[in-house]
Amino acid sequence: MAKLYRAFISEKQETDTAARTVTAVVSSEAVDRTAEVMIAAGARLKRYRQNPVVMWAHQYGGLPIGRNLWIKVDGDRIIAKTAFAQTEQAEQVEVLN
């Protein structure tokens, strides 16, 4: 089975610069650029929560830029709180937020 990659522009809700965290909508039921919709209620997060790493731009061959402290389905959205790693790449991404 081939992997299917999609892009999503997150909606930031809260930033804590002292804790180096950001809370954001990481997925929604909006139609994406390939005319597909991800139904939030169908998200299976159990396995992801066992190792909730966050990869920059879905580049799975690289190192994580952080980890989700929590992730949850909220109506038609998925919201997560991400803590950035103590790495140069993570710090560069954090500045972009």
Side-chain angles (χ1 to χ4, degrees), residues 8-11 24-28 68 71 77-80 82:
F8 175 79
I9 305 302
S10 65
E11 173 189 328
V25 175
V26 297
S27 186
S28 76
N68 282 327
I71 186 167
R77 310 175 304 168
I78 298 177
I79 302 173
T82 303

Side-chain angles (χ1 to χ4, degrees), residues 5 7 9-10 12 26 28-29 58 60 65 72 83 87-88:
Y5 296 95
I9 305 302
S10 65
K12 187 172 20 174
V26 297
S28 76
E29 294 184 6
H58 298 276
Y60 301 107
I65 59 159
K72 65 182 179 180
T87 65
E88 184 177 331

Side-chain angles (χ1 to χ4, degrees), residues 28-29 37-43 76 78:
S28 76
E29 294 184 6
V37 175
M38 198 285 296
I39 304 299
D76 65 349
I78 298 177

